[in-house]
Amino acid sequence: MLSSDRYRRSNRAVARERVARELARHSDASNPIGSFFFWNRTRRVTSLAPFSILSAGARVYCPYLDTDVFTLLASLPADMLRNEREYHRFHSDTISRAYPEFAHVPYAAKYPVVGRSVGMGHAWRTSAALLWQLARVSGTGLLRRGLLGARLAYCMANPLYTTRVAELAPSLSYLTHLADLTARAT
């Protein structure tokens, strides 16, 4: 996604050192990788979504911010979470025990089928919105606009490529906003 000039100016050795230092901070946790992701990506990215998306008119509940719940979840061993079947059984059993009156309600499919009427329309609209963002960004040299524009156009045209929109959208949206802020600051 980044321009070749931006890649050249980024120092890979410094980035590796920072990641290694941060990983070392989590080496004593029950689940070192889970701890690393929680305190880095989850805390900085994922956790902000409810407040950004729902804050305009709804009360936002964040049960995982409860200290006791966090302590329990952080203490789960990595082996338990690595086994997908074991993890989902723990998840389902916990919810069923807490809410027995809803135990009969089935869970949504892990990978829902994307139908032409809903999934395609959403992928097309998301691609169009990202193309619009990309077109509005000043030429800061941060993004490879030609490549990204072609990928987004392909997402709009090819029904088999729509899943790529979900993969591209968060990073591309963040980077277009960053490029826009950079252009405004200079």
Side-chain angles (χ1 to χ4, degrees):
M1 281 192 207
L2 299 176
S3 67
S4 54
D5 180 52
R6 184 60 59 175
Y7 278 119
R8 274 193 301 278
R9 292 191 301 165
S10 300
N11 188 327
R12 190 176 290 262
V14 171
R16 277 193 193 126
E17 172 59 32
R18 287 182 70 184
V19 170
R21 196 169 48 244
E22 182 63 24
L23 281 168
R25 291 180 57 211
H26 303 277
S27 62
D28 292 332
S30 297
N31 179 356
I33 299 297
S35 177
F36 172 81
F37 275 105
F38 175 81
W39 289 107
N40 288 278
R41 184 182 182 278
T42 304
R43 180 175 62 91
R44 293 182 180 146
V45 179
T46 310
S47 65
L48 302 176
F51 300 102
S52 297
I53 295 171
L54 301 172
S55 64
R59 174 175 276 154
V60 178
Y61 293 99
C62 296
Y64 299 109
L65 294 179
D66 180 84
T67 304
D68 294 334
V69 173
F70 172 79
T71 303
L72 169 71
L73 294 176
S75 72
L76 296 176
D79 290 342
M80 180 182 173
L81 302 175
R82 201 175 308 141
N83 180 328
E84 192 170 349
R85 179 172 288 174
E86 186 71 23
Y87 168 76
H88 285 291
R89 191 174 82 216
F90 168 76
H91 175 267
S92 302
D93 289 352
T94 302
I95 293 172
S96 295
R97 185 177 295 162
Y99 302 99
E101 67 274 20
F102 298 109
H104 67 284
V105 177
Y107 292 97
K110 182 176 180 186
Y111 302 107
V113 176
V114 177
R116 188 170 277 282
S117 61
V118 176
M120 287 292 297
H122 175 71
W124 195 92
R125 286 189 303 278
T126 302
S127 296
L130 289 169
L131 271 170
W132 177 251
Q133 271 186 316
L134 191 61
R136 287 183 47 242
V137 171
S138 302
T140 60
L142 179 67
L143 299 169
R144 297 169 65 186
R145 293 165 57 156
L147 171 75
L148 293 168
R151 279 205 182 157
L152 290 169
Y154 193 68
C155 287
M156 294 171 76
N158 185 347
L160 300 175
Y161 205 65
T162 56
T163 57
R164 289 289 293 151
V165 176
E167 296 168 12
L168 289 171
S171 296
L172 183 54
S173 183
Y174 171 75
L175 288 171
T176 54
H177 287 300
L178 183 62
D180 193 37
L181 288 171
T182 304
R184 288 181 193 182
T186 55

